[in-house]
Amino acid sequence: MEPSPLAPIRRAERRGLADEAADRVREAIFTGLFQPGGALREVELAASLGVSRGAVREGLAVLAREGLVQSEWHRGTRVTEVTAPDVEEVYAVRAALERVAARAAAERSGAFEWDDLDRLVDTMAAEIARGADVTRLLALDVEFHDRIYRLSGNRRLLDAWLAIRSQVHLFLLTRVRLGHEQYRGIVVDEHRELVALLRVKDLTTLERVAEEHVRSAGRVLAEQLADGR
Amino acid sequence: MEPSPLAPIRRAERRGLADEAADRVREAIFTGLFQPGGALREVELAASLGVSRGAVREGLAVLAREGLVQSEWHRGTRVTEVTAPDVEEVYAVRAALERVAARAAAERSGAFEWDDLDRLVDTMAAEIARGADVTRLLALDVEFHDRIYRLSGNRRLLDAWLAIRSQVHLFLLTRVRLGHEQYRGIVVDEHRELVALLRVKDLTTLERVAEEHVRSAGRVLAEQLADGR
DNA sequence: CCATGTCCTAATGTTGACATTGACTAGCGG
DNA sequence: CCGCTAGTCAATGTCAACATTAGGACATGG
């Protein structure tokens, strides 16, 4: 089990500049500073981050593995552009992972963790009520799923999720740019349903719903994307 | 569809030294040159590969993402050691992926591709008959699954597989070291069954069998590992 | 006017030197 | 004799200079 709800003390890991650089660039992409399709020049980044090109280079390699950027030999790195087939691919993988994660989480965790998730959903509802920025909602949405993968207790499963998480985040970002009213309307209910199923431990139904939850989101997204362009 | 069986002309991609280095080290691990737990020193590798430390470093980062090696801040890189819980984790993820991959492959491909897979299984049988090295069998086994993921047409699914493939390979390697008679006996039959199901396009059964196929392999492996130590 | 070949430039790919870190060992004090 | 501390060293983390490449501008020939 996790050490404690308060003071989630975790190894004060010393990280290299490469990871730091990766985080900064990732953040910049999510806040919209770098547009999809935009070039990321190593020298520019190195200058603005105040580190050497080597560190930036290593960081970009990390982001490339996350699918957030794409690099070509001697042609540089640019922010991945989201297309409908991309969404289908990523969400097919995500649906498979979420299915397993939900089941594993349900089997391992107890009331305490579900309450925790409930509070997170409450926060989402509250943020909607006070009309907060949609990017804030997105972060909460992603965090919700983060927690489920963590609760699964499967490190590799979490890694697989982290490998596509950034792309999912990017997709959601694109989605809300196209029109986010629909999203606001259903986000809370859908997540509440998931928590309820996790709590009840109806594993078969849970597997099905978790998978379908992702699939339907993927469909909506793919449609919006197809219409939008 | 693929361009042609002969002359599979594909973009002549020029790769950097880093990828080259990663391949060489990976190969060295699979052939047993570097034992699990063994340290991989950047300077040594750089010297023996004839490239600079930077390239080696980048290559090791790739292998780290594959879970084949583990790096710690300022403490170096070493070959991952296989433990029973690791197997469970990886195989839980693999089972989920294989399920999706098998279904997608069945939906997209036709007789031509199944014949291709059949030939691969024939090769496996032939290699067993002439008493070939077990590592050779392993390579064929892994390639079989590689092809299914390729046939799925889902790039992200393939990537997710590639992210754990090396670990699976490492596990199999450990398995045959512990005793490979059993493996020789069932490998061919199991894969023949899969091809048959793919061909028939019985999607529901296929999903179940593909998943179970992986799960059972994982169980066997976990048991052997638990006994072995 | 178009196709082809050449040169130039701006970016990435690669490298070896330098800075920093963590483990080990010897010396000291209790 | 044991525990602690400081010094040493070998390894990794970081950096800036150099080499290589892709793509476009330009000129040339058909």
Side-chain angles (χ1 to χ4, degrees):
Chain A
M1 208 212 278
E2 294 295 309
S4 158
L6 309 173
I9 194 169
R10 57 185 165 189
R11 172 170 188 156
E13 60 185 82
R14 316 193 63 163
R15 314 177 323 147
L17 286 183
D19 292 313
E20 205 72 38
D23 287 347
R24 303 290 266 292
V25 174
R26 192 189 296 113
E27 193 185 335
I29 292 175
F30 287 152
T31 58
L33 187 59
F34 298 121
Q35 299 279 335
L40 298 174
R41 265 172 286 275
E42 295 181 356
V43 278
E44 283 182 15
L45 293 175
S48 55
L49 290 178
V51 300
S52 86
R53 266 187 57 214
V56 171
R57 192 181 168 70
E58 226 170 305
L60 288 179
V62 173
L63 298 183
R65 280 258 159 178
E66 292 178 8
L68 200 62
V69 305
Q70 291 174 327
S71 298
E72 276 182 288
W73 211 76
H74 256 297
R75 294 198 49 193
T77 303
R78 45 189 61 237
V79 182
T80 301
E81 283 184 283
V82 178
T83 68
D86 288 327
V87 174
E88 284 177 29
E89 286 195 10
V90 171
Y91 270 69
V93 176
R94 189 187 162 193
L97 296 180
E98 203 104 346
R99 179 188 156 97
V100 183
R103 187 192 178 105
E107 288 176 334
R108 280 174 43 99
S109 305
F112 189 81
E113 283 82 5
W114 309 143
D115 290 347
D116 232 34
L117 282 179
D118 268 331
R119 275 194 290 277
L120 186 59
V121 181
D122 289 342
T123 310
M124 290 172 66
E127 294 283 354
I128 290 182
R130 53 177 277 248
D133 189 4
V134 199
T135 57
R136 168 82 180 131
L137 270 182
L138 251 52
L140 290 173
D141 189 344
V142 173
E143 190 185 337
F144 179 92
H145 294 280
D146 269 4
R147 291 208 194 169
I148 290 187
Y149 284 99
R150 286 228 162 69
L151 290 178
S152 79
N154 185 332
R155 174 73 222 198
R156 268 60 176 226
L157 188 55
L158 177 61
D159 284 341
W161 161 241
L162 293 180
I164 60 168
R165 187 178 84 135
S166 290
Q167 294 179 71
V168 170
H169 201 139
L170 195 62
F171 292 163
L172 291 174
L173 207 62
T174 310
R175 177 179 179 181
V176 298
R177 275 181 187 150
L178 293 175
H180 52 266
E181 291 319 312
Q182 195 185 3
Y183 176 72
R184 284 183 124 108
I186 59 177
V187 155
V188 174
D189 289 340
E190 288 206 330
H191 287 95
R192 273 210 204 288
E193 184 189 1
L194 272 180
V195 180
L197 282 170
L198 281 164
R199 188 170 250 133
V200 176
K201 272 203 174 77
D202 178 356
L203 297 181
T204 316
T205 312
L206 177 62
E207 277 188 339
R208 194 168 42 74
V209 171
E211 192 174 351
E212 188 52 33
H213 172 70
V214 173
R215 280 199 194 288
S216 74
R219 271 196 298 274
V220 171
L221 192 43
E223 284 168 20
Q224 285 190 333
L225 219 56
D227 295 348
R229 323 198 166 188
Chain B
M1 207 213 279
E2 293 296 312
S4 155
L6 308 173
I9 193 169
R10 57 185 165 190
R11 176 170 183 156
E13 61 185 83
R14 317 191 62 167
R15 315 179 322 147
L17 286 182
D19 292 314
E20 205 72 39
D23 288 348
R24 303 289 268 291
V25 175
R26 192 187 297 111
E27 193 186 333
I29 293 175
F30 287 153
T31 58
L33 188 58
F34 298 121
Q35 299 278 334
L40 299 173
R41 266 172 286 275
E42 295 182 356
V43 278
E44 283 182 14
L45 292 174
S48 54
L49 291 177
V51 299
S52 86
R53 263 189 59 215
V56 171
R57 190 181 168 72
E58 227 170 305
L60 287 179
V62 172
L63 298 184
R65 278 258 158 179
E66 291 178 9
L68 200 61
V69 304
Q70 290 174 327
S71 298
E72 276 182 286
W73 165 257
H74 257 296
R75 294 197 50 194
T77 304
R78 45 189 60 237
V79 182
T80 301
E81 282 184 283
V82 178
T83 69
D86 289 327
V87 173
E88 282 177 30
E89 287 196 9
V90 171
Y91 270 69
V93 175
R94 187 186 165 194
L97 297 180
E98 203 106 344
R99 180 188 153 98
V100 183
R103 187 191 179 106
E107 287 175 336
R108 279 175 43 98
S109 304
F112 188 82
E113 283 82 6
W114 308 144
D115 290 347
D116 233 35
L117 282 179
D118 268 333
R119 274 192 292 278
L120 186 59
V121 181
D122 289 341
T123 310
M124 290 172 66
E127 294 282 353
I128 291 182
R130 53 176 277 248
D133 189 3
V134 199
T135 58
R136 167 83 181 134
L137 270 182
L138 251 51
L140 289 173
D141 189 344
V142 172
E143 189 186 336
F144 179 92
H145 294 280
D146 269 4
R147 292 207 192 171
I148 291 187
Y149 283 98
R150 288 228 159 69
L151 291 177
S152 79
N154 185 333
R155 176 71 224 202
R156 268 60 175 226
L157 189 55
L158 177 60
D159 284 342
W161 161 240
L162 293 180
I164 60 168
R165 187 178 84 133
S166 290
Q167 293 179 71
V168 170
H169 202 138
L170 196 61
F171 292 164
L172 290 174
L173 207 63
T174 309
R175 176 178 180 182
V176 299
R177 275 180 186 151
L178 294 175
H180 54 265
E181 292 318 313
Q182 195 185 4
Y183 175 72
R184 282 183 124 108
I186 58 176
V187 155
V188 174
D189 289 340
E190 287 206 332
H191 287 95
R192 271 209 204 292
E193 183 189 3
L194 271 180
V195 179
L197 282 170
L198 283 164
R199 188 170 249 132
V200 176
K201 272 202 175 72
D202 178 357
L203 298 182
T204 315
T205 312
L206 178 61
E207 277 187 338
R208 194 167 43 75
V209 171
E211 192 174 351
E212 187 52 35
H213 172 71
V214 173
R215 278 200 195 286
S216 73
R219 270 196 299 273
V220 171
L221 192 43
E223 285 168 20
Q224 284 191 333
L225 220 55
D227 295 348
R229 323 198 164 187

